[in-house]
Amino acid sequence: ASAPTATITIDGTQDIMWASDTKGIKKMQGTQDQPALNFTHKLMQVTFKAQADASFTGSDKVTKLTIKGIGKTVTLNPITGDVTFGSEDLVAYSDETGVAIETDPVNIAPSVMFKPTQKIALDIVTANGNTYQGVEVDFGTTEPNKAGYSYEVTLNFKQTMIVPTASITEWETGTNPGIIDVE
């Protein structure tokens, strides 16, 4: 009686793709045409980089980066391709060793995939015990649907705050694409 759904839990390393065959397969004798599937991304991809501004003195390292309320639980309707997201926080990076904040931008972690959105809020923790809460990143309004878009976000560390900048970049393909279990 209700539409079928697939519930998926993501950790930022998985992509969700969906395709619809509008042509179908006819029941016939002999050779059949294969369905023409045009897969689309259901998530956006972001690479985070750390960079020290001229006003940033001393040394520090990013040890944790959390995307607030973005959702790790995804429900997909396999017929329509519609997705809904939970509201859990997603830890994009966590390592006590940390990534040094230097003059040149340095990747904090491999790219992260999550709910398409115009804005996100980040909580960032550093090795020196600094915590930056609610750092807002705005991806712009040129495209209302960000699914399938890839961004590079540079976190410019100033002496007392972080100023993020986002720009569209090329989608990074994973090294071992696989299928995740659907619960």
Side-chain angles (χ1 to χ4, degrees):
S2 62
T5 59
T7 301
I8 306 158
T9 302
I10 60 173
D11 65 8
T13 62
Q14 305 94 353
D15 191 8
I16 297 174
M17 298 186 75
W18 176 83
S20 170
D21 175 33
T22 57
K23 187 170 88 174
I25 300 175
K26 296 178 184 174
K27 184 177 179 181
M28 60 184 274
Q29 297 287 336
T31 306
Q32 293 184 356
D33 291 337
Q34 293 298 311
L37 300 176
N38 185 17
F39 284 91
T40 58
H41 294 277
K42 291 297 180 180
L43 303 178
M44 66 188 291
Q45 182 183 66
V46 177
T47 302
F48 293 98
K49 294 186 175 200
Q51 181 177 20
D53 181 76
S55 67
F56 187 79
T57 58
S59 64
D60 206 349
K61 296 178 181 182
V62 175
T63 56
K64 188 171 184 180
L65 187 147
T66 304
I67 305 167
K68 302 299 291 174
I70 200 69
K72 298 189 307 184
T73 305
V74 184
T75 303
L76 169 72
N77 179 321
I79 294 175
T80 64
D82 293 336
V83 289
T84 56
F85 294 86
S87 59
E88 309 88 356
D89 292 348
L90 175 65
V91 177
Y93 175 76
S94 182
D95 187 341
E96 288 182 19
T97 305
V99 173
I101 303 167
E102 300 176 355
T103 305
D104 293 326
V106 178
N107 278 355
I108 295 175
S111 57
V112 181
M113 290 169 275
F114 51 83
K115 170 185 170 180
T117 187
Q118 181 186 340
K119 294 180 182 180
I120 57 174
L122 306 173
D123 284 353
I124 301 161
V125 179
T126 69
N128 290 348
N130 296 314
T131 301
Y132 303 87
Q133 293 183 328
V135 175
E136 188 173 287
V137 179
D138 189 337
F139 297 104
T141 59
T142 56
E143 295 291 331
N145 183 357
K146 303 294 182 181
Y149 279 75
S150 183
Y151 293 87
E152 180 178 283
V153 172
T154 302
L155 303 170
N156 298 296
F157 283 77
K158 297 184 178 285
Q159 193 57 39
T160 59
M161 65 180 169
I162 298 173
V163 177
T165 57
S167 60
I168 294 177
T169 187
E170 194 170 317
W171 190 278
E172 291 181 24
T173 304
T175 56
N176 185 13
I179 298 173
I180 61 172
D181 294 329
V182 176
E183 298 171 6

